[in-house]
Coordinates of all heavy atoms in Angstrom, one line a residue:
M1 N 0.8 -1.2 0.0 CA 0.0 0.0 0.0 C 0.9 1.3 0.0 O 1.9 1.3 0.7 CB -0.9 0.0 1.3 CG -2.1 0.9 1.1 SD -3.2 0.7 2.5 CE -2.8 2.1 3.5
K2 N 0.5 2.2 -0.8 CA 1.3 3.4 -0.9 C 1.0 4.3 0.3 O -0.1 4.4 0.8 CB 0.8 4.2 -2.2 CG 1.8 5.3 -2.5 CD 1.6 5.8 -3.9 CE 2.3 7.1 -4.2 NZ 3.5 7.4 -3.5
E3 N 2.1 4.9 0.8 CA 2.0 5.8 1.9 C 2.4 7.2 1.5 O 3.2 7.4 0.6 CB 3.0 5.3 3.0 CG 2.6 4.1 3.7 CD 3.6 3.8 4.8 OE1 4.8 4.1 4.7 OE2 3.2 3.1 5.8
Y4 N 1.7 8.1 2.2 CA 2.0 9.5 1.9 C 2.6 10.1 3.1 O 2.0 10.3 4.1 CB 0.7 10.2 1.5 CG 0.0 9.6 0.3 CD1 -0.8 8.6 0.4 CD2 0.4 10.1 -1.0 CE1 -1.4 8.0 -0.7 CE2 -0.2 9.5 -2.1 CZ -1.1 8.5 -2.0 OH -1.6 7.9 -3.1
K5 N 3.9 10.5 2.9 CA 4.7 11.0 4.0 C 4.8 12.5 4.0 O 5.0 13.1 2.9 CB 6.1 10.4 4.0 CG 6.8 10.3 5.3 CD 8.1 9.5 5.1 CE 8.9 9.6 6.4 NZ 10.2 8.9 6.2
C6 N 4.6 13.1 5.2 CA 4.6 14.5 5.3 C 6.1 14.9 5.2 O 7.0 14.4 5.9 CB 4.0 15.0 6.6 SG 4.3 16.7 6.9
K7 N 6.4 15.8 4.3 CA 7.8 16.3 4.1 C 8.2 17.2 5.2 O 9.4 17.5 5.3 CB 8.0 16.9 2.7 CG 7.1 18.2 2.6 CD 7.4 18.8 1.2 CE 6.5 20.0 1.1 NZ 6.5 20.6 -0.3
H8 N 7.3 17.7 6.0 CA 7.6 18.6 7.1 C 8.0 17.9 8.4 O 9.0 18.2 9.0 CB 6.5 19.6 7.4 CG 6.1 20.4 6.2 ND1 6.8 21.5 5.8 CD2 5.1 20.3 5.3 CE1 6.2 22.0 4.7 NE2 5.2 21.3 4.4
C9 N 7.2 16.9 8.7 CA 7.5 16.2 10.0 C 7.7 14.7 9.9 O 8.0 14.0 10.8 CB 6.4 16.5 11.0 SG 4.8 15.8 10.5
G10 N 7.4 14.1 8.7 CA 7.6 12.7 8.5 C 6.4 11.8 8.9 O 6.5 10.6 8.8
E11 N 5.3 12.4 9.3 CA 4.1 11.6 9.7 C 3.6 11.0 8.4 O 3.6 11.6 7.3 CB 3.1 12.6 10.3 CG 2.2 11.8 11.3 CD 1.2 12.7 12.0 OE1 1.7 13.8 12.4 OE2 0.1 12.4 12.1
V12 N 3.1 9.7 8.5 CA 2.6 9.0 7.4 C 1.1 9.0 7.3 O 0.4 8.7 8.3 CB 3.2 7.6 7.4 CG1 2.6 6.7 6.3 CG2 4.7 7.7 7.2
F13 N 0.5 9.1 6.1 CA -0.9 9.1 5.9 C -1.3 8.1 4.8 O -0.5 7.9 3.9 CB -1.4 10.5 5.6 CG -1.2 11.5 6.7 CD1 0.0 12.2 6.8 CD2 -2.2 11.6 7.7 CE1 0.2 13.0 7.9 CE2 -1.9 12.5 8.8 CZ -0.8 13.2 8.9
E14 N -2.5 7.6 4.9 CA -3.0 6.6 4.0 C -3.5 7.3 2.7 O -3.4 6.7 1.6 CB -4.2 5.8 4.5 CG -3.7 4.8 5.6 CD -4.8 4.1 6.3 OE1 -5.9 4.1 5.7 OE2 -4.7 3.7 7.4
K15 N -4.0 8.5 2.8 CA -4.5 9.1 1.6 C -3.9 10.5 1.4 O -3.7 11.2 2.4 CB -6.1 9.3 1.8 CG -6.8 8.0 1.7 CD -8.3 8.1 2.0 CE -9.0 6.8 1.9 NZ -10.2 6.8 2.6
P16 N -3.7 10.9 0.2 CA -3.2 12.2 -0.1 C -4.0 13.3 0.5 O -3.5 14.4 0.8 CB -3.1 12.3 -1.6 CG -3.9 11.2 -2.1 CD -4.0 10.1 -1.1
L17 N -5.3 13.1 0.5 CA -6.2 14.1 1.1 C -6.0 14.3 2.6 O -6.0 15.5 3.0 CB -7.7 13.6 0.9 CG -8.7 14.7 1.0 CD1 -8.8 15.6 -0.2 CD2 -10.1 14.0 1.2
L18 N -5.7 13.2 3.3 CA -5.4 13.3 4.7 C -4.1 14.1 4.9 O -3.9 14.9 5.8 CB -5.3 12.0 5.4 CG -6.7 11.2 5.4 CD1 -6.4 9.8 6.0 CD2 -7.7 11.9 6.3
L19 N -3.1 13.8 4.0 CA -1.8 14.4 4.1 C -2.0 15.9 3.9 O -1.5 16.8 4.6 CB -0.8 13.8 3.1 CG 0.5 14.6 3.0 CD1 1.3 14.6 4.2 CD2 1.3 14.0 1.8
A20 N -2.7 16.2 2.8 CA -2.9 17.7 2.5 C -3.6 18.4 3.6 O -3.2 19.5 4.0 CB -3.8 17.8 1.2
R21 N -4.6 17.7 4.2 CA -5.3 18.4 5.4 C -4.3 18.6 6.6 O -4.3 19.6 7.2 CB -6.5 17.5 5.8 CG -7.4 18.3 6.7 CD -8.3 17.3 7.5 NE -9.3 16.7 6.6 CZ -10.0 15.6 6.9 NH1 -9.6 14.9 8.0 NH2 -10.9 15.1 6.2
H22 N -3.5 17.6 6.8 CA -2.5 17.6 7.9 C -1.5 18.8 7.6 O -1.3 19.6 8.5 CB -1.8 16.3 8.0 CG -0.4 16.4 8.7 ND1 -0.3 16.4 10.0 CD2 0.8 16.5 8.2 CE1 1.0 16.6 10.4 NE2 1.7 16.6 9.3
V23 N -1.0 18.9 6.4 CA -0.1 20.0 6.1 C -0.7 21.3 6.3 O -0.1 22.2 6.9 CB 0.5 19.8 4.7 CG1 1.3 21.0 4.2 CG2 1.4 18.6 4.6
R24 N -1.9 21.4 5.8 CA -2.7 22.7 5.9 C -2.9 23.1 7.3 O -2.6 24.3 7.7 CB -4.0 22.6 5.1 CG -4.2 23.8 4.2 CD -5.5 23.7 3.5 NE -6.5 22.7 3.7 CZ -6.7 21.7 2.9 NH1 -6.1 21.6 1.7 NH2 -7.6 20.8 3.2
S25 N -3.3 22.2 8.1 CA -3.7 22.5 9.5 C -2.5 22.6 10.4 O -2.4 23.5 11.3 CB -4.7 21.6 10.1 OG -4.1 20.3 10.2
T26 N -1.5 21.8 10.2 CA -0.4 21.8 11.1 C 0.8 22.7 10.7 O 1.3 23.4 11.6 CB 0.2 20.3 11.2 OG1 -0.9 19.4 11.4 CG2 1.2 20.2 12.4
H27 N 1.1 22.7 9.4 CA 2.4 23.4 9.0 C 2.1 24.7 8.5 O 2.9 25.7 8.7 CB 3.2 22.5 8.1 CG 3.5 21.2 8.7 ND1 4.3 21.0 9.8 CD2 3.2 19.9 8.3 CE1 4.4 19.8 10.1 NE2 3.7 19.1 9.2
K28 N 1.1 24.9 7.7 CA 0.8 26.2 7.1 C 0.6 27.2 8.3 O 1.1 28.3 8.3 CB -0.4 26.2 6.2 CG -0.1 25.4 4.9 CD 0.6 26.3 3.9 CE 1.3 25.5 2.8 NZ 0.3 24.8 1.9
R29 N -0.2 26.8 9.2 CA -0.6 27.7 10.3 C 0.7 28.1 11.2 O 0.8 29.2 11.6 CB -1.6 27.0 11.2 CG -2.6 28.1 11.8 CD -3.7 27.4 12.5 NE -4.8 26.9 11.6 CZ -5.7 26.0 12.0 NH1 -5.7 25.5 13.2 NH2 -6.6 25.7 11.2
A30 N 1.5 27.0 11.4 CA 2.7 27.3 12.2 C 3.6 28.3 11.4 O 4.2 29.2 12.1 CB 3.5 26.0 12.3
K31 N 3.7 28.2 10.1 CA 4.4 29.1 9.3 C 3.9 30.5 9.5 O 4.7 31.5 9.6 CB 4.4 28.7 7.8 CG 5.7 28.4 7.3 CD 5.7 28.1 5.8 CE 6.9 27.3 5.4 NZ 6.7 26.7 4.1
T32 N 2.6 30.7 9.5 CA 2.0 32.0 9.6 C 2.4 32.6 11.0 O 2.7 33.8 11.1 CB 0.5 31.9 9.5 OG1 0.2 31.2 8.3 CG2 -0.2 33.3 9.4
R33 N 2.3 31.7 12.0 CA 2.7 32.2 13.4 C 4.1 32.7 13.4 O 4.4 33.7 14.0 CB 2.5 31.0 14.3 CG 1.2 31.1 15.2 CD 1.4 30.4 16.5 NE 1.7 29.0 16.3 CZ 0.9 28.0 16.1 NH1 -0.4 28.3 16.1 NH2 1.3 26.8 16.0
E34 N 5.0 31.9 12.8 CA 6.4 32.2 12.7 C 6.6 33.6 12.1 O 7.3 34.4 12.6 CB 7.1 31.2 11.9 CG 8.5 30.8 12.5 CD 9.0 29.5 11.8 OE1 9.6 29.7 10.7 OE2 8.8 28.4 12.2
K35 N 5.9 33.8 11.0 CA 6.0 35.0 10.2 C 5.6 36.2 11.0 O 6.2 37.3 11.0 CB 5.1 34.9 8.9 CG 5.8 35.5 7.7 CD 4.9 35.3 6.5 CE 5.1 36.2 5.4 NZ 4.1 36.1 4.4
K36 N 4.5 36.0 11.7 CA 3.9 37.1 12.6 C 4.9 37.4 13.7 O 5.1 38.6 14.0 CB 2.6 36.6 13.2 CG 1.4 37.0 12.3 CD 0.1 36.7 13.1 CE -1.1 36.9 12.1 NZ -2.3 36.2 12.6
G37 N 5.6 36.4 14.2 CA 6.6 36.6 15.3 C 7.7 37.4 14.8 O 8.1 38.4 15.4
V38 N 8.2 37.1 13.6 CA 9.3 37.9 12.9 C 8.9 39.3 12.7 O 9.6 40.3 13.0 CB 9.7 37.2 11.6 CG1 10.7 38.1 10.8 CG2 10.4 35.9 11.9
E39 N 7.6 39.5 12.2 CA 7.2 40.9 12.0 C 7.0 41.7 13.3 O 7.4 42.9 13.3 CB 5.8 40.8 11.3 CG 6.0 40.9 9.7 CD 4.7 40.4 9.0 OE1 3.6 40.6 9.5 OE2 4.9 39.9 7.9
K40 N 6.6 41.0 14.3 CA 6.5 41.7 15.6 C 7.9 42.1 16.1 O 8.0 43.2 16.6 CB 5.8 40.8 16.6 CG 4.3 41.0 16.7 CD 3.9 40.7 18.1 CE 2.4 41.2 18.2 NZ 1.5 40.1 18.6
E41 N 8.8 41.2 15.9 CA 10.2 41.5 16.3 C 10.7 42.7 15.5 O 11.3 43.6 16.1 CB 11.1 40.3 16.0 CG 12.0 39.9 17.2 CD 12.6 38.6 16.9 OE1 13.5 38.5 16.2 OE2 12.1 37.6 17.5
K42 N 10.5 42.7 14.2 CA 10.9 43.8 13.4 C 10.3 45.1 13.9 O 10.9 46.2 13.9 CB 10.5 43.6 11.9 CG 11.5 42.8 11.1 CD 11.1 42.9 9.7 CE 11.8 41.8 8.9 NZ 11.2 41.5 7.6
Q43 N 9.0 45.1 14.2 CA 8.3 46.2 14.6 C 8.9 46.8 15.9 O 9.1 48.0 16.1 CB 6.8 45.9 14.8 CG 5.9 47.2 14.7 CD 4.5 46.8 15.0 OE1 4.1 45.8 15.6 NE2 3.6 47.6 14.4
A44 N 9.1 45.8 16.9 CA 9.7 46.2 18.1 C 11.1 46.9 17.9 O 11.4 47.9 18.6 CB 9.9 45.0 19.0
D45 N 11.8 46.3 17.0 CA 13.1 46.9 16.6 C 13.0 48.3 16.1 O 13.7 49.2 16.5 CB 13.8 46.0 15.6 CG 15.3 46.3 15.5 OD1 15.9 46.4 16.5 OD2 15.8 46.3 14.3
Q46 N 12.0 48.5 15.2 CA 11.8 49.8 14.7 C 11.4 50.8 15.8 O 11.8 52.0 15.8 CB 10.6 49.7 13.6 CG 11.0 49.1 12.3 CD 11.9 50.0 11.5 OE1 11.8 51.2 11.5 NE2 12.9 49.4 10.8
I47 N 10.5 50.3 16.7 CA 10.1 51.2 17.8 C 11.3 51.6 18.6 O 11.5 52.8 19.0 CB 9.0 50.5 18.6 CG1 7.7 50.5 17.8 CG2 8.8 51.2 19.9 CD1 6.6 49.6 18.3
N48 N 12.2 50.7 18.9 CA 13.4 51.0 19.7 C 14.2 52.0 19.0 O 14.8 52.9 19.7 CB 14.2 49.7 20.0 CG 13.5 48.9 21.1 OD1 12.7 49.3 21.9 ND2 13.9 47.6 21.1
K49 N 14.4 51.9 17.7 CA 15.2 52.8 16.9 C 14.6 54.2 17.0 O 15.3 55.2 17.0 CB 15.4 52.3 15.5 CG 16.5 51.2 15.5 CD 16.7 50.8 14.0 CE 17.8 49.7 14.0 NZ 17.7 48.8 12.8
T50 N 13.3 54.2 16.9 CA 12.6 55.5 16.9 C 12.7 56.2 18.2 O 13.0 57.4 18.3 CB 11.1 55.3 16.6 OG1 11.0 54.5 15.3 CG2 10.3 56.6 16.4
I51 N 12.6 55.4 19.3 CA 12.8 55.9 20.6 C 14.3 56.5 20.8 O 14.5 57.6 21.3 CB 12.5 54.9 21.7 CG1 11.0 54.6 21.7 CG2 13.0 55.3 23.1 CD1 10.7 53.3 22.6
E52 N 15.2 55.8 20.2 CA 16.6 56.3 20.2 C 16.7 57.6 19.4 O 17.4 58.5 19.9 CB 17.5 55.2 19.5 CG 18.4 54.4 20.4 CD 19.2 53.4 19.6 OE1 20.0 53.9 18.7 OE2 19.0 52.3 19.8
A53 N 16.1 57.6 18.3 CA 16.1 58.9 17.4 C 15.5 60.0 18.2 O 16.0 61.2 18.1 CB 15.3 58.6 16.1
I54 N 14.4 59.8 18.9 CA 13.8 60.8 19.7 C 14.7 61.3 20.8 O 14.9 62.6 21.0 CB 12.4 60.3 20.4 CG1 11.4 60.1 19.3 CG2 11.9 61.3 21.4 CD1 10.1 59.4 19.8
G55 N 15.5 60.4 21.4 CA 16.5 60.8 22.4 C 17.5 61.7 21.8 O 17.9 62.7 22.4
I56 N 18.0 61.3 20.6 CA 19.0 62.1 19.9 C 18.5 63.5 19.6 O 19.1 64.6 19.8 CB 19.5 61.4 18.6 CG1 20.2 60.2 18.9 CG2 20.3 62.4 17.7 CD1 20.4 59.2 17.8
L57 N 17.3 63.6 19.1 CA 16.6 64.9 18.7 C 16.5 65.7 20.0 O 16.7 67.0 20.0 CB 15.3 64.7 18.1 CG 15.3 64.2 16.6 CD1 13.9 64.0 16.1 CD2 16.0 65.3 15.8
K58 N 16.1 65.1 21.1 CA 15.9 65.9 22.4 C 17.2 66.4 22.8 O 17.3 67.5 23.4 CB 15.3 64.9 23.4 CG 13.8 64.9 23.3 CD 13.1 64.1 24.4 CE 11.6 64.3 24.3 NZ 10.9 63.2 25.0
G59 N 18.3 65.6 22.6 CA 19.6 66.1 23.0 C 20.0 67.3 22.1 O 20.6 68.3 22.6
L60 N 19.7 67.2 20.9 CA 20.0 68.3 19.9 C 19.2 69.6 20.3 O 19.7 70.7 20.2 CB 19.6 67.9 18.5 CG 20.6 67.3 17.6 CD1 20.0 66.9 16.3 CD2 21.8 68.2 17.4
Q61 N 18.0 69.3 20.7 CA 17.1 70.5 21.0 C 17.7 71.4 22.1 O 17.4 72.6 22.1 CB 15.7 69.9 21.4 CG 14.6 70.9 21.0 CD 13.3 70.4 21.6 OE1 13.2 69.4 22.4 NE2 12.2 71.0 21.1
V62 N 18.4 70.8 23.0 CA 18.9 71.7 24.1 C 20.4 72.2 23.8 O 21.0 72.8 24.6 CB 18.9 70.9 25.5 CG1 17.5 70.7 25.9 CG2 19.7 69.6 25.4
S63 N 20.8 71.9 22.6 CA 22.1 72.4 22.2 C 22.2 73.9 22.1 O 21.3 74.6 21.6 CB 22.5 71.8 20.8 OG 23.5 72.6 20.2
P64 N 23.2 74.5 22.7 CA 23.3 75.9 22.7 C 23.6 76.5 21.3 O 23.5 77.8 21.1 CB 24.5 76.2 23.6 CG 25.3 75.0 23.7 CD 24.3 73.8 23.4
N65 N 24.0 75.7 20.4 CA 24.3 76.2 19.0 C 23.1 76.4 18.2 O 23.1 77.0 17.1 CB 25.2 75.2 18.3 CG 26.5 74.9 19.0 OD1 27.1 75.8 19.6 ND2 26.9 73.7 19.0
L66 N 21.9 76.0 18.6 CA 20.7 76.2 17.8 C 20.0 77.5 18.1 O 19.9 78.0 19.3 CB 19.7 75.0 18.1 CG 20.1 73.6 17.6 CD1 19.0 72.6 17.9 CD2 20.3 73.6 16.1
S67 N 19.4 78.1 17.1 CA 18.6 79.3 17.3 C 17.2 78.9 17.8 O 16.8 77.7 17.7 CB 18.5 80.0 15.9 OG 17.6 79.3 15.1
A68 N 16.5 79.9 18.3 CA 15.2 79.6 18.8 C 14.3 79.0 17.8 O 13.5 78.1 18.0 CB 14.6 80.9 19.4
E69 N 14.4 79.5 16.5 CA 13.6 79.0 15.4 C 13.9 77.5 15.1 O 13.0 76.7 14.9 CB 13.9 79.9 14.2 CG 13.1 79.5 12.9 CD 11.6 79.7 13.1 OE1 11.2 80.5 14.0 OE2 10.8 79.1 12.4
E70 N 15.2 77.2 15.2 CA 15.6 75.8 14.9 C 15.1 74.9 16.0 O 14.7 73.8 15.7 CB 17.1 75.7 14.8 CG 17.7 76.3 13.5 CD 19.2 76.5 13.5 OE1 19.8 76.8 14.5 OE2 19.8 76.3 12.4
K71 N 15.1 75.4 17.3 CA 14.6 74.6 18.4 C 13.1 74.4 18.2 O 12.6 73.3 18.6 CB 14.9 75.3 19.7 CG 16.4 75.1 20.1 CD 16.7 75.8 21.4 CE 18.2 75.7 21.7 NZ 18.6 76.4 22.9
K72 N 12.4 75.4 17.7 CA 11.0 75.2 17.6 C 10.7 74.2 16.5 O 9.8 73.3 16.7 CB 10.4 76.6 17.1 CG 8.9 76.7 17.2 CD 8.4 78.1 16.8 CE 7.0 78.1 16.4 NZ 6.8 78.2 15.0
I73 N 11.4 74.2 15.4 CA 11.2 73.2 14.3 C 11.5 71.8 14.9 O 10.8 70.9 14.6 CB 12.1 73.6 13.1 CG1 11.6 74.8 12.4 CG2 12.1 72.4 12.1 CD1 12.6 75.4 11.5
L74 N 12.6 71.7 15.6 CA 13.0 70.4 16.2 C 11.9 69.9 17.1 O 11.5 68.7 17.1 CB 14.3 70.5 17.0 CG 15.5 70.0 16.3 CD1 16.7 70.1 17.3 CD2 15.4 68.5 15.9
G75 N 11.3 70.8 17.9 CA 10.2 70.5 18.8 C 9.0 69.9 18.0 O 8.4 68.9 18.4
E76 N 8.7 70.6 16.9 CA 7.6 70.1 16.1 C 7.8 68.7 15.5 O 7.0 67.9 15.5 CB 7.3 71.2 14.9 CG 6.5 72.4 15.4 CD 6.6 73.5 14.4 OE1 7.0 73.3 13.3 OE2 6.2 74.6 14.8
V77 N 9.1 68.5 15.0 CA 9.4 67.2 14.4 C 9.3 66.2 15.5 O 8.8 65.1 15.3 CB 10.9 67.3 13.9 CG1 11.4 65.9 13.5 CG2 10.9 68.2 12.7
L78 N 9.8 66.5 16.7 CA 9.7 65.6 17.9 C 8.3 65.2 18.2 O 8.0 64.0 18.4 CB 10.3 66.2 19.1 CG 11.8 65.9 19.4 CD1 12.4 66.8 20.4 CD2 11.9 64.4 19.8
T79 N 7.4 66.2 18.2 CA 6.0 65.9 18.5 C 5.4 65.0 17.5 O 4.7 64.0 17.8 CB 5.2 67.2 18.5 OG1 5.9 68.1 19.4 CG2 3.8 67.0 19.0
R80 N 5.8 65.2 16.2 CA 5.2 64.4 15.1 C 5.7 62.9 15.3 O 4.9 62.0 15.1 CB 5.6 64.9 13.8 CG 4.5 65.5 13.1 CD 4.9 66.2 11.8 NE 4.5 67.6 11.9 CZ 4.9 68.6 11.1 NH1 5.8 68.3 10.2 NH2 4.4 69.8 11.2
I81 N 7.0 62.7 15.6 CA 7.5 61.4 15.7 C 6.9 60.7 16.9 O 6.5 59.5 16.8 CB 9.1 61.4 15.8 CG1 9.7 62.0 14.5 CG2 9.6 60.0 16.1 CD1 11.2 62.2 14.6
E82 N 6.8 61.4 18.0 CA 6.2 60.9 19.2 C 4.7 60.5 19.0 O 4.3 59.4 19.5 CB 6.3 61.8 20.4 CG 7.7 61.8 21.0 CD 7.9 62.8 22.1 OE1 7.3 63.9 22.0 OE2 8.7 62.5 23.0
E83 N 4.0 61.3 18.2 CA 2.6 60.9 17.9 C 2.5 59.7 17.1 O 1.7 58.8 17.4 CB 1.9 62.1 17.2 CG 1.4 63.2 18.1 CD 0.9 64.4 17.4 OE1 0.9 64.4 16.2 OE2 0.6 65.4 18.1
L84 N 3.4 59.6 16.1 CA 3.4 58.4 15.2 C 3.8 57.2 16.0 O 3.2 56.1 15.9 CB 4.5 58.7 14.1 CG 4.6 57.6 13.1 CD1 3.3 57.5 12.2 CD2 5.8 57.8 12.2
L85 N 4.7 57.3 16.9 CA 5.1 56.2 17.8 C 4.0 55.8 18.7 O 3.7 54.5 18.8 CB 6.3 56.6 18.6 CG 7.0 55.5 19.5 CD1 7.7 54.5 18.6 CD2 8.0 56.1 20.4
A86 N 3.3 56.7 19.3 CA 2.2 56.4 20.1 C 1.1 55.6 19.3 O 0.5 54.7 19.8 CB 1.6 57.6 20.7
Y87 N 0.9 56.1 18.1 CA -0.1 55.5 17.2 C 0.3 54.1 16.9 O -0.5 53.1 16.9 CB -0.3 56.3 15.9 CG -1.2 55.7 15.0 CD1 -2.6 55.9 15.2 CD2 -0.8 55.1 13.8 CE1 -3.5 55.4 14.2 CE2 -1.7 54.5 12.9 CZ -3.0 54.7 13.1 OH -3.9 54.1 12.2
T88 N 1.5 53.9 16.6 CA 2.1 52.5 16.2 C 1.9 51.6 17.4 O 1.5 50.4 17.2 CB 3.6 52.6 15.8 OG1 3.7 53.6 14.8 CG2 4.1 51.3 15.3
Q89 N 2.2 52.1 18.6 CA 2.1 51.2 19.8 C 0.7 50.8 20.1 O 0.4 49.8 20.6 CB 2.9 51.8 20.9 CG 4.4 51.7 20.8 CD 5.1 52.5 21.8 OE1 4.7 53.6 22.2 NE2 6.2 51.9 22.3
R90 N -0.2 51.8 19.8 CA -1.6 51.6 20.1 C -2.2 50.5 19.2 O -3.0 49.6 19.6 CB -2.4 52.8 19.9 CG -2.9 53.5 21.2 CD -4.1 54.4 21.1 NE -4.0 55.3 19.9 CZ -3.4 56.5 20.0 NH1 -2.8 56.8 21.1 NH2 -3.3 57.2 19.0
S91 N -1.8 50.6 17.9 CA -2.4 49.7 16.9 C -1.8 48.3 16.9 O -2.2 47.4 16.1 CB -2.2 50.3 15.5 OG -0.8 50.3 15.1
K92 N -0.8 48.0 17.8 CA -0.1 46.8 17.8 C -1.1 45.7 18.3 O -1.9 45.8 19.2 CB 1.1 46.9 18.8 CG 2.1 45.8 18.5 CD 3.5 46.2 19.0 CE 3.4 46.6 20.5 NZ 4.7 46.6 21.1
Ligands
ZN1 ZN1 3.6 17.1 9.0

């Protein structure tokens, strides 16, 4: 009798239909979960980098070399980035 072996985990099935169902339910879903995990990690990394960038901008903002106008512009940029960050964290 012919056997249908899963190429992912080696489990053996009697019918190709059963194998297909097994692959769909066991391995496809696991893959999606993995992908989501990677995306979440990437997003967390992006958020950390953005927080770092905000820190750099805040450091620049108190620099004595900047004019009042330049500090104001930096402040506006900072507010925008912080709003975007808050939005990103909310929608997670
Ligand atoms: Zn399998």
